[in-house]
Amino acid sequence: MALVTTTLGEMDESLLEKREGTFEDDNELTTWTEYWKDNALVHRSAHVTLKKAPVFAGGEQTNFV
Amino acid sequence: MANTASLCTSFLAELLTGTHNFGVAPIRAATTADTFKGALYVTTATYNAATTAYSATNEVTGTNYTAGGVTVTNATVPASTNTSATAGVAYWTPSASLTYTTVTLTTAFDTVLIYNSTQSNKAVGVYTFGSQTITAGTFTLTMPTNSTSAALVRLATT
């Protein structure tokens, strides 16, 4: 028996409808898990993994001519 | 052999540890790493390269979320890699995920601001991701690989 934290308190997972999803692009890999009870969202967690920092600071030295 | 003009890669890494100071402030007395934090912002906020410090404006609010966000785990010192006579990269990434445990954040958010809470909350970087909401759940933000090509903070000569 797995308990899930919900807006209604701790509930047995078997009493809830579980929905999961993923999203991936060049920036991130995201997974999410939702639990629904009587057509109401009672729990949503998400895990975002950043793949690459979008900011890249470049620098050049000054050349003396 | 010939000499080659370039910023030194070691200098880039030393920028990340506050070794050099071309200005007049701040005068650093501490020899330990500063404390960095990660705050979440709603999708309608406008944080970007012009951001200079943490602000509570448009920060997420909700159950179990503390204003200012969570402390960044920093167990890995900045590193640097020299790739040629004119190119090198200094880089750093938090050593653990940022975790916001059992929160309810009903207003959609898509941004984390990493900032230095030791140095007057000065901003480090703004990082975005797909819009999220959290309901009685946990939001986990895993950092990119600590490498020259992906690290969260990278300074490079090209």
Side-chain angles (χ1 to χ4, degrees), chain B residues 101-152:
Chain B
T101 305
T102 317
V103 293
T104 293
L105 306 171
T106 55
T107 302
F109 60 94
D110 67 355
T111 298
V112 63
L113 170 70
I114 304 297
Y115 66 95
N116 188 334
S117 66
T118 302
Q119 298 292 339
S120 305
N121 292 336
K122 293 182 182 300
V124 173
V126 178
Y127 304 93
T128 60
F129 42 83
S131 175
Q132 297 294 331
T133 60
I134 302 295
T135 303
T138 295
F139 178 64
T140 305
L141 185 60
T142 296
M143 294 295 132
T145 304
N146 190 31
S147 69
T148 58
S149 60
L152 198 70

Side-chain angles (χ1 to χ4, degrees), chain B residues 14-72:
Chain B
E14 288 158 2
L15 290 178
L16 296 179
T17 55
T19 301
H20 302 275
N21 183 2
F22 295 101
V24 295
I27 304 300
R28 295 182 60 87
T31 57
T32 56
D34 292 341
T35 297
F36 296 87
K37 300 187 77 171
L40 300 174
Y41 290 91
V42 299
T43 58
T44 55
T46 55
Y47 290 83
N48 53 38
T51 299
T52 59
Y54 160 78
S55 168
T57 302
N58 286 322
E59 186 177 9
V60 299
T61 58
T63 303
N64 291 334
Y65 180 89
T66 302
V70 298
T71 298
V72 172

Side-chain angles (χ1 to χ4, degrees), chain A:
Chain A
M1 182 177 77
L3 292 178
V4 176
T5 301
T6 76
T7 56
L8 305 174
E10 298 284 319
M11 295 187 70
D12 191 315
E13 185 177 18
S14 65
L15 301 175
L16 303 168
E17 176 191 352
K18 185 177 185 179
R19 300 178 187 177
E20 296 176 287
T22 63
F23 170 79
E24 184 170 15
D25 63 10
D26 291 341
N27 182 59
E28 66 184 85
L29 169 62
T30 295
T31 60
W32 51 265
T33 302
E34 294 176 350
Y35 287 96
W36 293 72
K37 176 70 173 174
D38 299 330
N39 293 319
L41 177 66
V42 295
H43 173 103
R44 188 178 198 279
S45 287
H47 185 175
V48 174
T49 299
L50 295 175
K51 291 182 176 180
K52 181 179 180 179
V55 179
F56 191 91
E60 292 186 9
Q61 79 291 342
T62 298
N63 289 314
F64 300 95
V65 295

